[in-house]
């Protein structure tokens, strides 16, 4: 049983190595790039090997062909250009292979005993004469049968793994397929590749399509056209849309599939009949789950608005006077109106940019309701937003995920329409971050008669996931809303606030420009450092983060680099590599697992997906504080809580020296550094620039090209999302 890396070359040139793979130091599931330690058969010397080695496991015998190189940091390495993997043939390799735990029922102890008894014949005995395993002390008929069954299952799965990797399916996804279909995964892929793409998360259309075409599926087969259409709609949803115009969907699918649009129009009719897609309005399509979520939002907004309030009677004028006395100043008319609407109506929205007094109103509202013994519940989409809300309102706040209590076993939230939340008034901050699915989950879990107050900044970036809930709710004009527009922090000389509102007004003039790093003024709260070329921009960011900011504000000052794009010299990926080398050059490298970034102890990291078992969620920021090298586990500190990550879980973490502006939504940082160059033109948008600038409490330093700043201010396309929620709200309130 062997596997070759034929796509890396035929192996006829270069030096040859053969040995047992002792340890995997680093593995990238996307590229299959591996850093490992190989114990050579002949010399018994252990050497470092690097290169694309898809699906390799510790204990396997590898034959590698390539060349020796010298890395400036890691020293002498063998760069593999071709490889072949087979089951181990030596006693040492067999012992290593079985002792790794790859075969259920055989741990290190039994591996030693079995290999001591059968030597180089061990694997043949397990495969062909498994009854002889009873010759080993401690192995009876039952355990021997279990080992044989596990061996046969693993052999079948290994065959499936080889088939999948021939078609570019990563190890992680291969394991997911095998978990779903077992040894039948290969048969399932051969016969129903597009169904697999729908059923198994991570097996995308493109992978399934490549396999299907290689296996002989017709270019215009109904299965392919249907899968391509659904994939197109899901791709549009990934871009934030929840509804898709017919012509746009057909054109995008035709380009993807390289087929006749007329054939796709025929298949749309079939998909509508099967209810694989839903027609929301004439020639406007939705995926069923998204359509249901929008309908749920509209229905529960209506339910909440039409049910009698459960709050005790409140004399609103007296309450306002009391709150103003506590605050020490009189509220502006629109501020007082926001309080009135929140107290008198069961559903209301409060919007406003930085410095317009939203926090003042929230604090007053919480004080009034608490004095009346009303059960007030505060929540926000992210942990940092919830913490900031709790501090400003002097009242406990939680994330929406913790409020609704996700149950991994049930695959949904504990609180829903059948088990509503307990509370009388629910105030949700950073409502611009509410996506369609989360908004539906929240609204249906609110008890009848409770008040709901959504608070947010409609000019910020919309939610990362699909939808534009706050914008659509405001645009429907069916829900009472108050917009705060007057800036109150001008008296505090907050030029960050002034610049933010100038951005919204379309003013392309950048903040004061420093032509040299020495011209950065620590007293100014917003400034631009001119560094038009991406290389100069990168160097300026490095200098700011490593030298100037610590000198200005102390080495413990928290700052955050935000950037529009992942790629490029001044993109997220390169910024993280550069800043890690600069700010944490001597951090101990940690067990890399399958992560795409070589982490070190001391690195700043960000959780990149919701993990309900661990209680950490997409966007949570932390720091690697330690590791257990023996177990290959690392310890990450999040907001006072330490979480253990196993090697296979490291893909949930991304480096956070620099993050996207989207990932920073809901957070505030003392200092924000924002690279802005023309190479970012694809994502230079007004709401992105506005959101980035308003993440800072004390100081913003934009680094880059003033013309890129102007490009961002002029581009107002960032809020354009196609949804059907506004229409559903109008129908529900009719």
């Amino acid at each position: 049983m062997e596997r070759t890396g034929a796509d890396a070359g035929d192996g006829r040139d270069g030096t040859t190595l053969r040995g047992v793979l002792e340890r995997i130091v680093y593995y990238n599931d996307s590229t299959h790039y591996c850093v490992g330690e190989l114990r050579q058969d002949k010399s018994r010397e252990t050497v470092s090997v690097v290169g694309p080695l898809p699906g390799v496991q510790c204990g396997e015998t590898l034959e590698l062909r390539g060349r020796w190189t010298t890395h400036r940091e890691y020293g002498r390495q063998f760069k593999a250009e071709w490889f072949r993997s087979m089951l181990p043939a030596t006693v040492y390799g067999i012992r290593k292979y079985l002792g790794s735990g790859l075969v259920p029922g055989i741990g290190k102890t039994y591996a030693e005993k079995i290999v001591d008894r059968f030597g180089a014949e061990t694997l043949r005995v397990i495969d062909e004469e498994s009854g002889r395993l009873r010759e080993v002390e401690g192995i009876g008929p039952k355990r021997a049968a279990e080992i044989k069954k596990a061996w046969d299952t693993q052999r079948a799965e290994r065959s499936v793994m080889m088939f999948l990797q021939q078609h570019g399916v990563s190890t992680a996804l291969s394991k997911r397929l095998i978990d779903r279909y077992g040894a039948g995964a290969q048969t399932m892929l051969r016969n129903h590749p597009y169904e697999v793409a729908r059923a198994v998360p991570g097996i995308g259309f493109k992978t399934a399509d490549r396999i299907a075409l290689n296996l002989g599926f017709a270019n215009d087969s109904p299965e392919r056209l249907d899968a391509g259409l659904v994939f197109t709609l899901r791709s549009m949803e990934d871009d934030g849309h929840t509804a898709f115009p017919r012509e746009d969907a057909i054109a995008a699918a035709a380009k993807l599939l390289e087929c006749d649009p007329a054939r796709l129009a025929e298949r749309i009719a079939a998909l509508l009949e099967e209810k694989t897609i839903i027609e929301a309005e004439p020639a406007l399509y939705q995926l069923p789950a998204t359509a249901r979520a929008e309908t749920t939002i509209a229905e529960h907004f209506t339910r909440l608005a039409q049910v009698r309030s459960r709050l005790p009677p409140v004399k609103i004028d007296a309450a306002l006077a009391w709150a103003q006395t506590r605050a020490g100043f009189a509220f502006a008319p629109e501020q007082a109106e926001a309080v009135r609407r929140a107290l008198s109506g069961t559903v209301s929205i409060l919007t406003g940019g930085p410095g317009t007094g939203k926090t003042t109103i929230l604090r007053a509202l919480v004080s009034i309701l608490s004095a009346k013994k009303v059960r007030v519940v505060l929540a926000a989409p992210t942990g940092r937003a919830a913490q900031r809300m709790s501090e400003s309102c002097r009242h406990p706040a939680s994330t929406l995920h913790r409020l609704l209590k996700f149950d991994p076993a049930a695959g949904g939230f504990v609180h829903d329409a059948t088990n509503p939340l307990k509370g009388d008034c629910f105030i949700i901050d950073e409502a611009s971050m509410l996506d369609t699915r989360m908004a539906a989950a929240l609204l249906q879990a609110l008890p009848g008669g409770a008040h709901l107050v959504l608070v947010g900044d409609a000019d910020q970036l919309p939610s990362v996931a699909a939808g534009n809930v706050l914008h659509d709710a405001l645009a429907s004009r069916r829900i009472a809303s108050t917009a705060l527009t007057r800036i109150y922090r001008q008296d505090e000389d907050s030029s960050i606030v002034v610049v933010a509102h100038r951005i919204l007004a379309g003013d392309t003039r950048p903040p004061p420009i420093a032509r040299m790093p020495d011209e950065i003024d620590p007293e100014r709260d917003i400034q631009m450092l001119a560094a038009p070329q991406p290389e100069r921009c990168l160097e300026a960011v490095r200098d700011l983060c490593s030298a100037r900011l610590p000198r200005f504000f102390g080495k413990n000052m928290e700052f955050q680099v935000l950037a529009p794009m992942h790629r490029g010299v001044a993109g997220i990926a390169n910024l993280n590599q550069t800043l890690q080398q600069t700010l944490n050059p001597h951090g101990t490298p940690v067990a890399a697992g399958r992560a795409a970034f070589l982490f070190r102890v001391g690195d700043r990291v960000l959780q990149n997906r919701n993990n309900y078992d661990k209680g950490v969620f997409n966007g949570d920021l932390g720091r690697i504080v330690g590791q257990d090298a023996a177990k290959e586990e690392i310890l990450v500190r999040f907001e006072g809580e330490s979480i253990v990550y196993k090697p296979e879980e490291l893909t949930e973490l991304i480096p956070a020296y620099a993050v996207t502006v989207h990932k920073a939504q809901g957070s505030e940082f003392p200092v924000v550094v924002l690279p802005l160059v023309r190479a970012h033109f694809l994502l230079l948008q007004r709401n992105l620039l506005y959101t980035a600038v308003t993440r800072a409490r004390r100081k913003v330093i934009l680094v880059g090209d003033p013309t890129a700043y102007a490009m961002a201010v002029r581009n107002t396309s960032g809020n354009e999302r196609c949804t059907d929620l506004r229409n559903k709200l109008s129908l529900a309130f009719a």
Side-chain angles (χ1 to χ4, degrees), residues 293-564:
E294 284 192 344
T295 299
T296 297
I297 292 171
E299 289 175 347
H300 286 279
F301 262 135
T302 309
R303 171 183 67 86
L304 292 166
Q306 294 176 349
V307 174
R308 183 177 177 181
S309 170
R310 66 198 295 172
L311 264 59
V314 178
K315 294 180 180 179
I316 295 178
D317 288 338
L320 271 169
W322 176 79
Q324 290 174 98
T325 300
R326 282 175 61 91
F329 57 87
F331 295 163
E334 66 268 23
Q335 291 179 310
E337 184 61 23
V339 176
R340 287 181 185 279
R341 284 180 167 158
L343 294 174
S344 61
T346 49
V347 182
S348 63
I349 300 174
L350 172 63
T351 66
T356 57
K358 295 194 301 295
T359 299
T360 298
I361 298 310
L362 289 187
R363 191 179 296 135
L365 191 56
V366 170
S367 297
I368 291 169
L369 293 172
S370 298
K372 284 289 184 179
K373 308 300 182 186
V374 170
R375 293 175 297 176
V376 181
V377 178
L378 305 184
T382 68
R384 285 195 164 221
Q387 181 181 7
R388 193 172 68 251
M389 190 184 193
S390 177
E391 291 169 352
S392 61
C393 294
R394 305 181 185 96
H395 188 90
S398 72
T399 64
L400 291 172
H401 287 97
R402 288 190 170 93
L403 176 67
L404 295 170
K405 295 180 182 175
F406 189 84
D407 181 1
F413 290 109
V414 170
H415 293 291
D416 56 17
T418 62
N419 181 27
L421 293 160
K422 291 179 171 35
D424 302 314
C425 182
F426 295 81
I427 303 175
I428 311 301
D429 200 5
E430 297 289 352
S432 64
M433 297 179 66
L434 276 177
D435 62 79
T436 301
R437 305 286 176 88
M438 179 54 77
L442 170 68
L443 289 168
Q444 67 178 325
L446 297 180
H451 284 224
L452 171 66
V453 182
L454 295 178
V455 183
D457 186 345
D459 294 308
Q460 284 192 27
L461 286 169
S463 56
V464 175
N468 208 355
V469 175
L470 180 63
H471 181 271
D472 289 341
L474 290 167
S476 73
R477 299 185 181 277
R478 302 289 180 170
I479 300 169
S481 62
T482 305
L484 304 180
T485 56
R486 180 180 170 188
I487 304 174
Y488 293 93
R489 290 219 307 255
Q490 277 182 308
D491 296 336
E492 302 174 23
D493 193 30
S494 176
S495 55
I496 290 176
V497 173
V498 174
V499 169
H501 286 270
R502 280 184 9 206
I503 291 169
L504 293 181
D507 189 335
T508 59
R509 291 173 299 164
I513 296 176
R515 298 293 174 185
M516 299 291 291
D518 290 340
E519 297 176 15
I520 291 289
D521 183 354
E523 299 302 317
R524 288 185 180 273
D525 61 2
I526 185 166
Q527 207 168 354
M528 186 165 200
L529 174 59
Q533 294 79 21
E535 293 78 10
R536 282 189 58 197
C537 177
L538 177 67
E539 189 55 41
V541 170
R542 188 212 308 255
D543 176 66
L544 280 168
C545 296
S546 62
R548 298 185 189 279
L549 291 178
R551 190 187 313 151
F552 293 158
F553 304 112
K555 63 180 181 179
N556 294 323
M557 166 60 70
E558 183 184 0
F559 61 86
Q560 183 61 58
V561 178
L562 306 178

Side-chain angles (χ1 to χ4, degrees), residues 5-22:
D7 57 340
D10 63 10
R12 280 180 279 206
D13 299 322
T15 305
T16 300
L17 287 185
R18 181 186 170 107
V20 175
L21 187 62
E22 288 274 306

